[in-house]
Amino acid sequence: APVLQVSAVGKTFAGGTVALQSTDLQVQENDFITILGPSGCGKSTLLRMVAGLDTPTGGSIALDGKQVTGPGADRGMVFQSYTLFPWLTVLQNVCFGLREKGLPLAEQHAIARPFIAKVGLSQFEHHYPKQLSGGMQQRTALARALANAPRILLMDEPFGALDHQTRELMQELLLGIWEEERKTVLFVTHDIDEAIFMANRVVVMSARPGRIKCDLPVPLAHPRH
Ligand code: ADP
Ligand code: ADP
C-alpha cells in the first residue's frame, strides 16, 4: 500500500485562482520524490495540503489509508525559511515536538541527540538559531523534523536560501540520512539539477493551471548507488 495517496486533488483559491487541477500522486515507502516545476505551478500548494496546512477544494489525501484533515506529527515539514523558534536552543528546538507529546526531558534528549549528531551539530546544541549559519539552522530544522519519527518528510525548497556550496553539502547530508533512516521524502524544488540529483522519482508540474505533466523514475546519481 502507498504511504501517501493523493486522489483527484484540486485547489481553487477564493478569488478564483486555480492553483492545482485534479491531481493524482502515489508515494511508496522509501520513495524520494522531487516535485519540479516553474514558480506558480502549485508545488507549495500541493505540499501544504499534504501537510494539512491548506485544504483541497476537491479530491482527497490519505496517509497510510487515513484521510488527512489537518497537520500532524506523522508529517515532518521543512520550509525554506528554517522556521526555528528563536528563543530556543538547537537542543530545545529539536525536542519541541517530543516535549509537546509529554515525554520526560531525559527521554526527549535521548531521542534528540542522535539526530543532532547526524546533522553534525553536537557541538552546538546549546546555541540559539541567531548564532548559527543558514546551513546550520536548516540542519537543526531537519533534525527537528526527523526527531518526531514522521511517516513522510515534506520539504519545500529547503535549500533555496543557501549558497551553492552549502546547498550541495545539504543535499549529500539529506541523501545519506534518507538511506540510513529509510525515510519517505516529498521534496519541492524549481532547481532541475537538484531535482534530478536527489530523487528516485521526479514529478514535473506545469502552470496555468497547475498540473502534473509527467512522473519519471530516475536512477540515483548519488555515489553510494
Ligand atoms: P509554486 O509553489 O509552484 O511556486 P504555489 O503553490 O505557491 O506555486 O502557487 C500556485 C498558484 O496559486 C499561483 O498562481 C499562486 O499565485 C496561487 N496562490 C498560492 N497561494 C495562494 C493564496 N493563499 N491565495 C490565492 N492564490 C494563491
Ligand atoms: P522549567 O519550567 O523548569 O523551565 P520545563 O519543563 O518548562 O521546566 O522545561 C524543561 C526544559 O525544556 C528546560 O531546559 C527548558 O529550557 C526547555 N524548554 C522550555 N520551553 C521549551 C519549549 N517551548 N520547547 C522546548 N523546550 C523548552
Side-chain angles (χ1 to χ4, degrees):
V3 174
L4 180 72
Q5 175 85 52
V6 173
S7 308
V9 164
K11 178 69 178 181
T12 304
F13 283 104
T17 304
V18 181
L20 201 66
Q21 253 186 359
S22 179
T23 290
D24 298 305
L25 180 67
Q26 273 198 5
V27 179
Q28 307 295 337
E29 185 103 46
N30 203 223
D31 264 341
F32 195 129
I33 298 183
T34 48
I35 300 180
L36 175 67
S39 176
C41 71
K43 304 183 296 294
S44 291
T45 301
L46 177 58
L47 207 71
R48 287 176 53 80
M49 292 191 292
V50 173
L53 300 172
D54 217 333
T55 316
T57 43
S60 67
I61 300 173
L63 190 73
D64 289 326
K66 235 184 84 209
Q67 292 302 307
V68 164
T69 54
D74 50 6
R75 283 145 292 153
M77 192 81 190
V78 180
F79 301 95
Q80 182 174 329
S81 54
Y82 320 137
T83 60
L84 298 174
F85 302 106
W87 60 88
L88 297 178
T89 64
V90 167
L91 180 61
Q92 289 167 353
N93 264 284
V94 176
C95 284
F96 190 84
L98 306 168
R99 186 181 143 92
E100 297 282 290
K101 275 203 292 193
L103 294 183
L105 195 59
E107 217 171 302
Q108 295 176 29
H109 290 177
I111 294 169
R113 285 202 164 110
F115 289 107
I116 293 172
K118 228 177 246 298
V119 299
L121 290 180
S122 293
Q123 307 305 310
F124 298 92
E125 65 176 40
H126 299 305
H127 283 57
Y128 288 88
K130 66 169 183 298
Q131 301 173 287
L132 304 174
S133 68
M136 291 161 90
Q137 291 185 53
Q138 200 57 310
R139 283 189 266 154
T140 305
L142 178 58
R144 183 178 59 185
L146 291 167
N148 294 309
R151 280 291 286 148
I152 187 166
L153 204 50
L154 306 174
M155 310 186 82
D156 192 354
E157 308 232 10
F159 310 144
L162 305 174
D163 65 76
H164 183 72
Q165 197 187 349
T166 307
R167 193 156 68 224
E168 290 196 341
L169 284 172
M170 292 297 294
Q171 291 169 358
E172 294 278 358
L173 177 73
L174 178 60
L175 274 181
I177 288 173
W178 171 66
E179 289 180 338
E180 277 177 36
E181 302 279 319
R182 312 304 293 172
K183 278 291 158 201
T184 305
V185 183
L186 198 53
F187 184 111
V188 161
T189 182
H190 63 250
D191 184 302
I192 293 174
D193 177 59
E194 182 169 74
I196 294 171
F197 177 71
M198 301 291 285
N200 69 331
R201 255 172 80 195
V202 179
V203 169
V204 184
M205 294 180 64
S206 71
R208 298 168 288 169
R211 56 184 290 245
I212 291 177
K213 289 287 261 194
C214 59
D215 187 336
L216 305 161
V218 181
L220 276 160
H222 196 238
R224 270 169 282 206
H225 288 270

